[in-house]
Amino acid sequence: MLKPDYKSNIILSETEYDTVGKRVKRYDATDKVTGAANYSGDVHPAGYIHGKILRSPHAHAKIIKIDTSKALELPGVVAVVTSEDFPVLNGLAVDLGEGAMQNPMFLSNFCIAKDKVLFKGHAVAGVSATSKLIAEQALNLIEVEYEVLKPVMRPEEAIKPDAPILHDRLVTINSTTIRAGGVSADELPKDKQTNLANKFEFALGDVEKGFKDADVIVEKETKTEAVHQGYIEPQTSTVRWGSDGYLTMWTSSQGHFAMRDLTAMLLGIPQSKIKSIQMEIGGGFGGKTIVYSEPIAAMLSKKSGGSPVKITLNRTEVFEGTGPTSATNVKIKLGAKSNGKITAVQAKLYYGSGAFPGSPVLPGARCMTAPYDIPNAHIEGYDICTNLPKSTAYRAPGSPTASFAMEIAVDELAEKLGIEPLEFRAINGSKEGTRQASGPVFGKIGFLETLQAAKDHEHYKSKLEGPYRGRGIASGFWFNGSGPSSAIASVTADGTINLVEGSPDIGGSRTAVSMQLAEVLGIDATNIKPSIGDTDTIGFTSVTGGSGVAFKTGIACYEAGLDIKRQMVERAAKIWDVETSDVEYENGEIKHSSDSQLRMTFKEMAGKLNATGGPIIGRAAVSPGSPGNAFATHIVDVEVDPGTGKVTILRYTSVQDAGKAIHPTYVEGQMQGGVAQGIGWALNEEYFYNDEGKMMNASFLDYRMPTALDLPMLDTVIVEVANPSHPYGVRGVGEVCIVPPLAALSNAIKQAIGTRLTQLPMNPARVLEAIDNNK
Amino acid sequence: MASVWFNQEMRETTGFTGTVEVEGKNIRTVIANLEIQFPGISEVLIYEDDIMPGLSVIIDGNIGSIGVLEKVNENSEVHFLPALGGG
């Protein structure tokens, strides 16, 4: 089917490096396994006190009155804050100057409710006290009078004419620009009020003609529930508002600069007044890219006379008060000719944004058809407010649920046409020059290579036999992101380098970027000592997200390395009294181009710096574009228990284009982690609500995420089709791996039981129902 | 000349639904020349002298990172699409 231009499952990269591509020891390993690493919960500044948050017991209610007087009278209580203590911000979206687009009013009202509570767990007030126990007792003394309203939890329900309205000033925008919703100056008349924040479309070619040309057409509708990122470490925020007006904050986040900037915006103070210190992070997956309790901790500190206030969320608060990803409803129509060529696609994506606008429906709409070259496409997206916590990014935001609909339609279309599913994907697969439904053409990409590697894999060639067993295939796409990033590399006299960079390390990035610095300098990676600087120490660096750190901060470190090389060449020329143009830097050695006696190792040169002109510090601040697109293809074998409906995963293989795997072990770990989360999303996980909109499974006991005991070894195949925009060919790897599992499992279950499930999670009850209906 | 593809807002603002050939060596001049042909279009593309927050410029399939300063080549294809974050 495809050109067999490489050996099965052999990495395509033909370039060998000294450090890049090797499995070097990770820098944070010892501290993490010995417990020495400091997380946000380990912060105990002198004189700190405890903060707790009062949360709404209702999913939707007006706040009539808040009386905090009894709480303030409790001995040990230091301060109480409500929304009245925060600046009133307008609803005009603002750019924070470095790429972060926010609607201040919505974000402020998300952190602490103003006139209405919009989801169960919505913060209503904060308390600081001398002990946790007193703070918790004080919460019980705050009297809140509510007018309880009917909630609406599903996006398709929230746009019905009689749906409860969350925001009486929300105006629907029609924009393919990411904006945080429209707001009218005044309350809208009832008949104009809506929960629809945004609707948009992408159109390519002539869809009507495309379907006329099709020999076979399939139509599918999928539904998915909100799921949580499920990071192990709950958020802790500790903030000290000093008497000099400067704040220090310690957070668990994916972007301490973002925490600084968002907190400053919500407090109405300049960014420069805040120093944000990044701690080690116990998982984020997109969920720790925005503020939650940080502004409350800050305001409590101010009202507590500057005492540092520490707020640690418990697991129930994490589930109920921090962002899950969207519940979705997707309708898709897909047509193809008998030769397997897809002629047209039409789709409508309804994504719940939670309490405030901003679901990932836009990236979902752009990702869902990206693996395929389809000449005629019409895709509509709807961003809809519902009574859940504001949706937050979760690993390839928007793509898994959109791809779920697309990939089961692809599977069914292939089946109807009698074409093997990998072959069908190859017939239609995107490659360099393919035009996406949203318009742009792809540059160098590696989708077809993932299909070929999957086809060549022993898993795919093996036979799967036995009753109630099935094999599923699915592919997926994620754009990958980039952004500004900064790095400072200081050469130490002993020949090592202290590297300070600005990207919080959530997936091994300090190792990956250090390896790139080591590679460019031709020194051993163990001679790099990386750390993540606070916001006063290092230049602005955008959040660790979009699978972008190995790319953008990798380039920053690469450039900082080039800066060191340039300075070392100049210094050597000065020491040897020769022209700079006669000095070369090669493989960790500085040498004269013609005089073989004049040469120094990097370490020898490092030892001479202070006496020959002072230290050498390499630095770089970059904002690189074109992070390279990521594609993946997965194969899964399942066995269904017809008595219980339980799905057991027998074997799973993920194939992914990494561009260049800087540290293959980390890449494999990302792939396995994404697959595990995708399996949980497909089979078990969901926000389960009662009729009052109250989450009934807000603990890890009841919110069923897969553990190592639930899964077989997850096999990985790294394909390397170099990204031409990175010096070593890096593409992001952290997100696309969560995209295919949802559909791959649905397709496998279809093979196993003969019925296609289109609603997630495909838990035992749902599978059993499908088996019974099929009898 | 660069070929500029119109997104939904550009189409709704101008009533024009196709692609248009525009002179310009960078995005700033491309948009300035677009404005001459389609008065008002810069209001959906420009905010305080830079690309509208939330939009990204895609030139020949590559996502730009410096907004209106991005270089445009002869025969380049230019798109204005939503900026994408990630998890």
Side-chain angles (χ1 to χ4, degrees), chain A residues 136-206:
Chain A
E136 285 170 1
Q137 287 175 332
L139 296 185
N140 294 326
L141 297 174
I142 297 173
E143 295 173 354
V144 185
E145 186 181 338
Y146 295 102
E147 178 189 335
V148 179
L149 304 170
K150 188 180 173 189
V152 59
M153 313 307 288
R154 289 285 314 173
E156 65 274 17
E157 297 294 325
I159 52 173
K160 288 182 176 173
D162 57 347
I165 296 294
L166 276 72
H167 303 278
D168 53 21
R169 291 167 53 200
L170 184 70
V171 177
T172 304
I173 58 174
N174 299 274
S175 175
T176 47
T177 306
I178 287 183
R179 290 184 184 163
V183 180
S184 71
D186 303 307
E187 184 174 339
L188 293 164
K190 294 286 182 195
D191 63 335
K192 300 289 185 190
Q193 293 180 354
T194 181
N195 293 318
L196 180 57
N198 189 10
K199 59 179 180 182
F200 63 88
E201 64 175 14
F202 294 115
L204 182 71
D206 184 340

Side-chain angles (χ1 to χ4, degrees), chain A residues 19-352:
Chain A
T19 299
V20 164
K22 305 294 190 294
R23 299 173 191 263
V24 306
K25 180 186 171 188
R26 55 188 291 174
Y27 297 93
D28 53 342
T30 305
D31 278 356
K32 285 185 174 168
V33 298
T34 60
N38 284 315
Y39 293 82
S40 57
D42 298 318
V43 174
H44 304 101
Y48 82 95
I49 56 177
H50 301 271
K52 293 296 289 182
I53 295 173
L54 179 68
R55 297 179 180 276
S56 168
H58 308 295
H60 194 191
K62 285 182 182 174
I63 299 173
I64 307 299
K65 183 179 155 190
I66 302 176
D67 184 348
T68 63
S69 57
K70 289 180 183 170
L72 282 166
E73 289 170 4
L74 183 69
V77 169
V78 183
V80 178
V81 298
T82 67
S83 66
E84 297 296 315
D85 295 289
F86 290 83
V88 175
L89 303 173
N90 69 43
L92 296 174
V94 296
D95 180 9
L96 292 178
E98 287 161 327
M101 187 73 177
Q102 290 292 342
N103 179 315
M105 184 183 79
F106 285 149
L107 189 60
S108 179
N109 291 356
F110 173 52
C111 288
I112 189 160
K114 191 165 178 59
D115 302 318
K116 288 179 86 177
V117 289
L118 296 168
F119 55 93
K120 182 181 181 294
H122 201 164
V124 173
V127 171
S128 62
T130 52
S131 76
K132 278 186 195 171
L133 188 60
I134 293 172
E136 285 170 1
Q137 287 175 332
L139 296 185
N140 294 326
L141 297 174
I142 297 173
E143 295 173 354
V144 185
E145 186 181 338
Y146 295 102
E147 178 189 335
V148 179
L149 304 170
K150 188 180 173 189
V152 59
M153 313 307 288
R154 289 285 314 173
E156 65 274 17
E157 297 294 325
I159 52 173
K160 288 182 176 173
D162 57 347
I165 296 294
L166 276 72
H167 303 278
D168 53 21
R169 291 167 53 200
L170 184 70
V171 177
T172 304
I173 58 174
N174 299 274
S175 175
T176 47
T177 306
I178 287 183
R179 290 184 184 163
V183 180
S184 71
D186 303 307
E187 184 174 339
L188 293 164
K190 294 286 182 195
D191 63 335
K192 300 289 185 190
Q193 293 180 354
T194 181
N195 293 318
L196 180 57
N198 189 10
K199 59 179 180 182
F200 63 88
E201 64 175 14
F202 294 115
L204 182 71
D206 184 340
V207 170
E208 200 173 324
K209 181 179 180 305
F211 283 118
K212 277 184 184 169
D213 292 343
D215 296 313
V216 180
I217 293 173
V218 299
E219 294 189 59
K220 309 303 296 181
E221 178 175 357
T222 59
K223 288 187 179 181
T224 69
E225 299 297 336
V227 299
H228 199 271
Q229 296 83 353
Y231 36 80
I232 299 299
E233 180 207 18
Q235 281 93 337
T236 292
S237 53
T238 306
V239 184
R240 177 177 60 213
W241 194 316
S243 56
D244 57 0
Y246 284 84
L247 284 73
T248 304
M249 55 194 290
W250 297 263
T251 64
S252 171
S253 84
Q254 292 175 238
H256 49 320
F257 284 90
M259 295 300 108
R260 178 196 69 176
D261 296 351
L262 293 171
T263 302
M265 180 181 78
L266 299 185
L267 297 175
I269 63 174
Q271 297 162 339
S272 57
K273 291 280 188 185
I274 299 178
K275 177 163 82 173
S276 179
I277 299 171
Q278 180 65 30
M279 308 302 294
E280 294 289 358
I281 179 170
F285 312 110
K288 293 180 179 173
T289 52
I290 65 169
V291 290
Y292 297 101
S293 59
E294 289 79 5
I296 296 175
M299 195 56 77
L300 282 170
S301 176
K302 184 181 186 183
K303 292 188 74 174
S304 302
S307 296
V309 173
K310 180 176 180 177
I311 298 176
T312 298
L313 307 189
N314 61 35
R315 182 60 57 186
T316 298
E317 288 181 293
V318 170
F319 274 117
E320 294 187 340
T322 72
T325 192
S326 297
T328 70
N329 173 211
V330 179
K331 297 172 183 173
I332 186 167
K333 181 178 175 184
L334 194 62
K337 296 188 77 66
S338 57
N339 63 6
K341 189 76 188 85
I342 299 175
T343 56
V345 60
Q346 193 169 37
K348 293 184 178 181
L349 290 75
Y350 303 90
Y351 276 41

